[in-house]
Amino acid sequence: MAQGLEVALIDLQSSWNNVRHHTEEISSERLLVRRGQAFNITLYFRNRGFQPALDNLIFVVETEDAVYLDSEPQRQEYVVNDYGFIYQGNKNWIRPCPWNYGQFEENIIDICLELLDKSLHFQIDPAIDCALRGSPVYISRVVCAMINSNDDNGVLNGNWSENYFDGINPAEWTGSVAILKQWHATGCQPVRYGQCWVFAAVMCTVMRCLGIPTRVITNFDSGHDTDGNLIIDGYYDNTGRILENKKKDTVWNFHVWNECWMARKDIPPGYGGWQVLDATPQETSNGLYCCGPASVRAIKEGEVDLNYDTAFAFSMVNADCMSWLVYGGKEQKLHQDTNSVGNFISTKSIQSDERDDITENYKYPEGSPQEREVFLKALLKLKAGRSPGSHRAASQPSRPRSLSGDGPRSLDTPSLRPSDVVQVSMKFQLLDPPNMGQDIRFVLLTLNMSLQFKDLKVNLSAQSLLHDGSPLPPFWQDTAFITLSPEEAKTYPCKIPYSQYSQYLSTDKLIRISALGEEKSSPEKILVNKIITLAYPGIMINVLGEAVVNQPLSIQVIFSNPLLEPVADCELTVEGSGLFKKQQRVLIGVLKPQHRASITLETVPFKSGQRQIQANLRSNKFKDIKGYRNIYVDSRL
C-alpha cells in the first residue's frame, strides 16, 4: 500500500496571487486575496511525488462574494482608488476637498484588523464576532461604531465646540493614514478631533481596505430630526436671528456619510446595492453610536421600517422644515417648507475629478406627487411605531403648535407662504464673490406684488454658523424702512466690513444673513435668509520634472496669505499615497499681509500609476487653505 503524502512546504504564491487580486500595493509577501476569485497555491511533499491516479487532495474554501460589483470601473473607483474628494461648502458654493484615503499604505491593513479586534463585539465574544465577519452587514456596523469613540476606544473623538487646543482642528486633516497610524501608535487612544467628513473619510479607508466597495457622500442642507416626526423645527427672534434650538433639531449646512455596496439578505428582496452608513455620532442604534446600513432604495421609497436606521437616514434627505417666531415667551408659526432639506447629494465621479449628483437615488423630485406620497408613507409608518431600525426616544417633546392653536397642516399640500398673504417678496443677492479678507456687499431685493402701497419694516442680522447648523451670536444688525408703490421693486444695499466679521467667524467660514419683514397692515411676517461661505485662494502645486518610481522628484508648493493683516504660526502639511512615506509638515512661521511664498519639497515616489498630492496651510487666523495636484508616476527604470 502506498505511503501517505507528507506536506513539506506550502507556497502561497503571494506575489503572483496579490497582483491578480489587486492587493500587491498592500504586500507582496503576505497572501491577501479577495472573495469570489480563484487563487493558486503550491504544495511540496517530503516523502514522494503526487500521483494523480492514487492521491486525492480536497480543499474546502468558501468565498461567497456579498459585495460583488460587476463593473470594473466601479471596482477601480470604490475599492482600489486611494484618493478622492469630499464635497463641502453650501448648496450654492460646492467645494471639493482633496483627501488621501491611503488604504494600501504600510500597516493600514493591520490597523484595520486591529480596529475589528478592539470593537465591543469582539471583546464580548471573540468567537461569535469572528464567525460573523463574513457578513458585510455585520462588519459595516462594527466599523461604523468603531470610527467614533462614543462607546469604545474608537478612532476619532468628535468635537463641534470650536475649541481644539488639545488636538487637531478637523478642518486641517488631509488624509486618513495619519489618523489611523496615530490611533495605533498611542495604544488605540481616540484621535482628537473629527467632524462628519473626517469620520466618513476614515471609514471609507477602512472599508476599502477590507475590500468592501465604499464611497463618500455629501448631503447639502441635511436634516437632523431628533424626535422622529420628520419635521425640523427652527426658532427665530424678531430680528431674524436663528436661536439655539431647544429640541436640538437642526439643518446641517452639509453632512457627510458613506455608501457601501452589499447584498441585503436580512431584508426583503430588491433593497441590496448601495447602503447608507454614518459614523458621525448623532444618535444611537441598538445601543451604540452607529447608523446603518440603510438601503438607499428603501430611503427613496419611504420604507423606513427596514433595518437599519432607515427612518433617520430618510429624515436627513427628506424632512420638512417649520419656522417659528419666538417673542414674549410665545411661538408663532412662520412657514413650513417641504423642499429645503436634502439638496445636491454628491460624490466623486467614477475615474474622474468631477462631482456626481446622486440626489435622484435618494428621493423623487421635490414637489412631485411621488415625493409627497413617499413622505406620507414614511410618516404613517413612523406613527404606527413599526420601525425596528428607529432609534427615537418616546419621551421627546412633540412639535409645538402655533398661537392660533391649529394642529399640524395636511402634509401633502404646501402651506400658504407669508409672502403670498402680504404680497411682498424679499430676497438677498450678493454683489461680489464672498472672499475671505474682503467686505461682504449685498442687497435686499424687495418686490410689491399687489396694487396697494406697502410700508415695510425689515430687521436684518448676520451671525456665524457651524456646519451642523448651530448658531453663534449675531455680530451685525440693521433696520430698514421701505415704502413700496404698487408693483414696485426696490433694493436695500448692505455691507459687512471684514473688520466686523473676522473676529466672529467659525472654522467653517459660514455667515447667515437674515431679514424678518413685517407690513403694518398685516400680522404676517416674512423671513428670508442666505448662507454665505467665505472662500480662500487655493494652494498651487507644481511637479518639477517627470515622476518615475524610485527616482528623486521635486515638488513646488505655492501659497499665500489672503488677509490684509499678518498671520502667525503658519504650517504647511503635504501628503500623498505612493509619493511620501509619511505626512510632511513644514513650519512657515509668519506670513505678511497678502504675501505669496513657495517652498520646494524633495521626495522619491515608491508606487507607480495615478497619484495625488494633497496640501493644507494653517495659521492662527485660518485653518484650511487646501490644494491638490494629480500626478502620474511612470514605472519604467
Side-chain angles (χ1 to χ4, degrees), residues 566-591:
V567 295
D569 304 325
C570 295
E571 183 178 57
L572 182 71
T573 304
V574 182
E575 64 181 291
S577 287
L579 300 169
F580 299 96
K581 287 287 187 181
K582 64 178 183 178
Q583 192 180 66
Q584 308 293 301
R585 290 185 174 270
V586 182
L587 297 177
I588 306 297
V590 176
L591 279 176

Side-chain angles (χ1 to χ4, degrees), residues 287-357:
L288 294 177
Y289 277 95
C290 68
C291 178
S295 164
V296 172
R297 181 166 177 261
I299 294 167
K300 182 172 183 175
E301 300 300 335
E303 301 293 348
V304 295
D305 51 347
L306 297 181
N307 283 340
Y308 288 88
D309 311 304
T310 309
F312 186 65
F314 182 93
S315 72
M316 291 196 292
V317 301
N318 216 4
D320 285 357
C321 289
M322 182 79 80
S323 300
W324 299 87
L325 177 65
V326 179
Y327 64 98
K330 299 180 180 180
E331 298 165 355
Q332 176 185 348
K333 183 168 69 175
L334 290 172
H335 178 59
Q336 182 150 343
D337 190 345
T338 64
N339 57 18
S340 62
V341 167
N343 292 296
F344 299 103
I345 303 175
S346 304
T347 192
K348 179 185 175 297
S349 294
I350 298 169
Q351 297 180 330
S352 161
D353 286 354
E354 297 302 310
R355 181 182 68 89
D356 193 8
D357 190 308

Side-chain angles (χ1 to χ4, degrees), residues 21 33 60 90 158 335 383 386 403 413 507 555 630:
H21 285 249
V33 295
V60 179
N90 67 63
H335 178 59
K383 285 183 176 179
R386 299 194 304 268
L403 287 176
T413 55
T507 304
I555 296 168
N630 292 342

Side-chain angles (χ1 to χ4, degrees), residues 81-193:
N81 198 359
D82 60 5
Y83 65 87
F85 299 102
I86 302 168
Y87 294 97
Q88 300 178 345
N90 67 63
K91 66 181 177 184
N92 299 313
W93 188 78
I94 297 175
R95 176 177 74 107
C97 173
W99 196 270
N100 176 26
Y101 296 120
Q103 67 267 32
F104 300 130
E105 290 298 280
E106 187 177 14
N107 296 330
I108 293 299
I109 183 70
D110 295 307
I111 295 172
C112 292
L113 296 174
E114 180 181 30
L115 182 148
L116 298 181
D117 289 346
K118 293 294 181 181
S119 75
L120 292 177
H121 299 79
F122 182 85
Q123 302 296 322
I124 293 169
D125 195 323
I128 291 179
D129 176 76
C130 290
L132 290 172
R133 287 186 181 181
S135 163
V137 173
Y138 175 80
I139 213 74
S140 64
R141 283 182 66 78
V142 170
V143 172
C144 191
M146 278 299 295
I147 296 299
N148 67 69
S149 61
N150 286 46
D151 309 296
D152 42 45
N153 279 346
V155 176
L156 280 159
N157 266 344
N159 187 338
W160 288 265
S161 72
E162 291 289 289
N163 184 356
Y164 310 112
F165 74 94
D166 57 348
I168 301 291
N169 186 315
E172 295 179 34
W173 296 112
T174 51
S176 307
V177 176
I179 294 170
L180 288 166
K181 287 190 173 182
Q182 180 180 327
W183 178 74
H184 168 73
T186 57
C188 304
Q189 292 301 305
V191 176
R192 299 171 178 169
Y193 289 102

Side-chain angles (χ1 to χ4, degrees), residues 54-75:
L54 180 64
D55 297 317
N56 185 26
L57 294 176
I58 299 175
F59 293 91
V60 179
V61 181
E62 294 184 20
T63 59
E64 179 188 10
D65 195 353
V67 297
Y68 178 70
L69 263 175
D70 60 4
S71 163
E72 177 61 21
Q74 286 187 320
R75 291 196 294 266

